[in-house]
Amino acid sequence: MPMPAIMDDLLPEFFIRLPTPEDLARVTATCSSFRQAATDRACTREFRRLHAPPLLGIVDGAGFHPALPPHPSAPAGSALANAPGKDFSFSFLPAPNRWVMKDASDGRVLLDRAPEGVKKAEFTEVVVCDPLHQRYLLLPPVPQDQLVANPVCMAYGPFLAPPSDEEAEEAPDTSFRVMWTARCEANMVAFVFSSSSGQWRAVPSQSWSDLFAVDIELSWGPCLVGRHYAHGCFYWETSCRGMWLVLHARTMDFSLVDIPCTAGGAGLDTAIVEAGEGRLGMFALAFVGGVYYLHYTIREADNQWKLKQTVALRYGYWYCILGATDAYLLLLKHADNRSLEPADCECLSLDIKTMRLERVCSLKQWGVDAQIYTNFPPSLLSAPTI
């Protein structure tokens, strides 16, 4: 092959191995041939697959709080904070004061509100927006026939989810899903909205007795606590001690995983994380003798949970787990558990690989609606659409 043709084939292989998104951005400014190769859909999709999305900061009711120096994410966070046109107050939404932030993922933010004139509703109005380009998509309500076919006792959600394999293949940078999981009398049901089809569909699980293989004491099934995401699966701790409900995001299958309570060290807060090499990890926050500890356990190849490390957090502060990304565990820290003064509230990150604890940013309130904000909106790498 002529040398230019060989280079055209090899350039994407070089670019997907660049260490950071900033390096890939610099490549696009080098020359037209580099830009064409670096912005090719296959190249950007593979780059995202190989690299954890950058932690940019925290978004809450007070706006966007970028990661600050000397945190490794500070340059990326500063780039978003200084981007013209961004609006993390969501003033571009209809009736902006009525929306409540529920989730953030891949640069998008999901908010919801109760329908007009309704004080309490299991299913609320939902909008997904791109705060950098001030674009939004108001989702249609869950169809009534799906709700009639699946009588809901309690709904958990809404939340953002990755696209299906087919959707990711057709529109890897712009497709997404929104999910509600609902506890029904006979089983669990996931109501799934696809940005590709613009429609909802209901995905039921097997019956409670088949799922748990035991009789459930509660006639409406177990209660669910929290929501975690790792290795393409969503996890909820159930009211059945030691049993976690799992929803496989790609196949939309429900299953159970047994995570012994001792795996987390009897923690106050827990977080499921990716421990590397396909393994599942768990952080648990414990309070012993006036000191907070983080216990980190990993499920090994023999399916046994083993304690890997315990981290003692600085004495005299109040802590809780905010959530986790592919690379970090995020904590909230406050100087005094009797007074939540805004200036004393901080967000910390713990690198899952190195166990290095660093300050991310300060918050103006105690993380009531705080969401971890990772990755630039996909419209930066594609057409300006949500």
Side-chain angles (χ1 to χ4, degrees):
M1 295 175 65
M3 183 59 69
I6 294 175
M7 289 303 297
D8 288 344
D9 289 340
L10 290 179
L11 282 177
E13 295 298 322
F14 291 131
F15 295 160
I16 64 175
R17 288 166 173 80
L18 292 171
T20 68
E22 292 87 351
D23 294 321
L24 185 63
R26 294 186 187 100
V27 161
T28 64
T30 304
C31 62
S32 59
S33 60
F34 278 23
R35 177 176 177 80
Q36 182 178 358
T39 57
D40 178 77
R41 177 169 290 182
C43 181
T44 57
R45 180 171 64 245
E46 189 66 8
F47 185 88
R48 286 191 173 207
R49 188 185 70 82
L50 294 176
H51 296 74
L55 169 66
L56 302 180
I58 303 297
V59 59
D60 62 12
F64 175 65
H65 309 274
L68 300 175
H71 196 279
S73 298
S78 176
L80 179 61
N82 296 323
K86 71 181 185 309
D87 184 357
F88 283 93
S89 67
F90 307 105
S91 62
F92 54 91
L93 295 179
N97 294 331
R98 292 186 53 219
W99 295 98
V100 177
M101 204 173 338
K102 292 295 184 179
D103 196 16
S105 177
D106 209 22
R108 302 182 182 95
V109 179
L110 183 150
L111 305 95
D112 80 341
R113 66 181 181 185
E116 192 73 36
V118 178
K119 293 184 178 181
K120 183 179 180 181
E122 290 290 352
F123 292 89
T124 53
E125 294 179 353
V126 178
V127 66
V128 177
C129 62
D130 169 358
L132 184 60
H133 299 90
Q134 298 190 32
R135 293 179 172 87
Y136 68 90
L137 177 66
L138 186 64
L139 273 59
V142 179
Q144 191 63 32
D145 62 331
Q146 295 183 16
L147 296 177
V148 171
N150 302 277
V152 173
C153 300
M154 181 176 292
Y156 301 90
F159 56 93
L160 290 161
S164 66
D165 292 336
E166 295 78 10
E167 293 166 339
E169 185 66 29
E170 293 176 3
D173 297 326
T174 58
S175 58
F176 64 92
R177 290 184 292 180
V178 172
M179 296 186 185
W180 289 88
T181 51
R183 180 162 56 91
C184 302
E185 291 188 13
N187 57 357
M188 283 292 296
V189 176
F191 296 95
V192 186
F193 174 84
S194 165
S195 65
S196 299
S197 67
Q199 297 179 343
W200 291 91
R201 68 185 180 103
V203 183
S205 73
Q206 57 268 55
S207 67
W208 289 123
S209 58
D210 290 338
L211 187 62
F212 281 79
V214 295
D215 291 333
I216 301 299
E217 294 181 1
L218 299 174
S219 59
W220 292 347
C223 295
L224 306 182
V225 179
R227 188 184 72 250
H228 314 266
Y229 183 77
H231 295 305
C233 297
F234 290 98
Y235 292 82
W236 290 267
E237 188 175 4
T238 75
S239 54
C240 298
R241 189 172 176 84
M243 304 183 78
W244 290 62
L245 182 69
V246 183
L247 174 60
H248 301 258
R250 297 298 184 189
T251 62
M252 294 305 299
D253 293 327
F254 285 94
S255 64
L256 284 177
V257 61
D258 184 13
I259 302 180
C261 300
T262 53
L268 302 172
D269 283 341
T270 57
I272 299 292
V273 298
E274 298 181 4
E277 301 177 359
R279 297 174 300 175
L280 203 62
M282 173 187 277
F283 281 97
L285 184 66
F287 186 68
V288 180
V291 179
Y292 282 91
Y293 295 90
L294 272 175
H295 301 291
Y296 183 38
T297 54
I298 295 178
R299 187 174 65 183
E300 300 290 1
D302 59 2
N303 211 34
Q304 297 298 310
W305 288 85
K306 298 180 180 179
L307 180 64
K308 287 298 180 181
Q309 193 165 348
T310 295
V311 178
L313 300 177
R314 189 176 176 183
Y315 179 78
Y317 292 87
W318 192 20
Y319 297 87
C320 74
I321 293 178
L322 177 60
T325 70
D326 292 350
Y328 295 105
L329 176 77
L330 278 297
L331 300 166
L332 292 180
K333 165 190 169 185
H334 196 277
D336 185 0
N337 62 4
R338 293 167 298 178
S339 172
L340 301 181
E341 291 297 329
D344 294 329
C345 188
E346 291 184 338
C347 178
L348 309 176
S349 71
L350 182 74
D351 189 301
I352 296 175
K353 289 184 178 180
T354 65
M355 304 300 286
R356 179 180 176 87
L357 190 66
E358 295 180 281
R359 175 176 175 267
V360 178
C361 61
S362 296
L363 301 179
K364 296 181 179 180
Q365 56 186 359
W366 176 245
V368 176
D369 58 350
Q371 301 292 335
I372 303 169
Y373 197 81
T374 61
N375 221 348
F376 293 94
S379 48
L380 288 179
L381 297 176
S382 59
T385 174
I386 194 159

